[in-house]
Amino acid sequence: MSTVSVTPAPLEQPSTAAFHKISWGAVFAGAVIALTAHFLLNLLGIGIGAAVLDPMTNDNPDASTFSIGSAIWFILTGIIASFAGGYIASRLSGRPSTSTGALHGLTSWAVTTLFLLYLLGTSVGALVGGVYSGLSGLVAGAGQTAATVATAAAPSIATATDPMASIEQQVRETSGSDPESLRNAAVAAVRGVMTGDPAQADNARTQAAEALARAQNIPVEQARSQVQLYEAQYRQAVESAKQTAVQAADTATSVISIAAIIAFISLAVGAAAAWIGGAVGTKHGIELDDIA
């Protein structure tokens, strides 16, 4: 008598993919928690910073102390908010896998970061005001300092103080009560020596000396000596402007570099905190609703 082996039908089990699929509702819930934590913690930081200042005395922390303190506070805020958001995202997802929960936390951190960048670039960010302004600057005053210094750091002398300004003032003051037309002619002639075609410099010097002599009623030779003095002053002013621009550019580069490094560290640590929060928040008990 022959026997027939019957293979039992496999029991219906939930798909493995269902345990690992993303729950966007949980991700956005974690992002909302992280944003709220950012807001509250920055409010607390502003309150503490304002309480430290005493306008009635001069015994207040200097700007560098506030910058360092703000940077540390911003990084700590990012860690706490990212961990909380990651934990909530993982917990609400109901996924039993630790790696999946950690990925939910990391995704929640990414959504939070993108939303903050969007918020700070819109009019909504302006309405929020000082609370999120520290986030965009990363270090208190660093962004503003970088922007101010960067404006002054343009390589062109055109953005610096006009080197001719003081020379023009001297020409007008030494021209006495002569007619305005003579003073204007003398100023224009002297400016032509400084900013005109170098190939025509000798001719320009002669014209400037003659214009100065007429405006100030002095000998041409004396006026020629004044033109030479103005040229020396102009060259010194231009060189000083160049040095100032180079120093300002170097300062701006340093400030921006430091702010960028702090931003990277803060975001990287925040991502790690969100990953850990997601791993900690993993719910290992399996329920049918968790895989729906």
Side-chain angles (χ1 to χ4, degrees):
M1 183 176 181
S2 60
T3 59
V4 179
S5 62
V6 178
T7 303
L11 296 176
E12 186 175 342
Q13 295 179 352
S15 172
T16 303
F19 287 105
H20 300 286
K21 69 178 182 180
I22 189 170
S23 173
W24 284 109
V27 167
F28 286 117
V32 169
I33 294 298
L35 287 169
T36 304
H38 265 299
F39 184 83
L40 294 177
L41 290 173
N42 276 278
L43 273 179
L44 179 61
I46 292 174
I48 295 175
V52 171
L53 295 176
D54 186 359
M56 301 301 295
T57 66
N58 294 324
D59 187 19
N60 291 308
D62 55 23
S64 61
T65 301
F66 268 111
S67 295
I68 295 173
S70 298
I72 295 174
W73 184 263
F74 178 72
I75 294 175
L76 290 177
T77 297
I79 293 174
I80 296 172
S82 297
F83 181 89
Y87 180 90
I88 294 298
S90 175
R91 196 69 177 174
L92 293 180
S93 72
R95 302 300 183 255
S97 170
T98 301
S99 61
T100 303
L103 288 172
H104 272 77
L106 186 63
T107 305
S108 177
W109 164 84
V111 171
T112 303
T113 302
L114 292 176
F115 185 78
L116 277 177
L117 292 176
Y118 169 77
L119 179 67
L120 295 171
T122 62
S123 58
V124 179
L127 293 176
V128 175
V131 175
Y132 279 119
S133 64
L135 299 178
S136 60
L138 303 175
V139 181
Q144 181 179 0
T145 301
T148 302
V149 175
T151 302
S156 174
I157 299 303
T159 58
T161 304
D162 183 8
M164 273 296 301
S166 61
I167 296 176
E168 179 178 343
Q169 182 179 1
Q170 293 178 49
V171 172
R172 293 186 179 280
E173 289 177 351
T174 55
S175 296
S177 58
D178 289 327
E180 183 67 20
S181 59
L182 292 180
R183 288 196 294 270
N184 291 339
V187 169
V190 172
R191 182 178 288 274
V193 174
M194 313 304 171
T195 61
D197 185 0
Q200 304 294 327
D202 291 338
N203 186 38
R205 292 188 185 95
T206 300
Q207 294 178 0
E210 293 175 353
L212 277 176
R214 289 192 297 269
Q216 299 179 8
N217 194 23
I218 59 176
V220 175
E221 289 302 321
Q222 182 179 348
R224 195 183 303 277
S225 299
Q226 287 190 8
V227 171
Q228 294 176 353
L229 178 62
Y230 292 150
E231 283 190 88
Q233 292 180 2
Y234 181 82
R235 286 192 296 269
Q236 183 178 2
V238 169
E239 186 62 29
S240 176
K242 287 181 178 179
Q243 293 178 359
T244 300
V246 170
Q247 292 174 357
D250 182 67
T251 301
T253 301
S254 299
V255 170
I256 294 172
S257 175
I258 293 173
I261 292 174
I262 292 176
F264 171 79
I265 293 174
S266 177
L267 291 175
V269 173
W275 177 276
I276 295 173
V280 173
T282 301
K283 185 193 297 185
H284 295 288
I286 303 175
E287 298 179 8
L288 292 179
D289 291 341
D290 296 335
I291 59 175

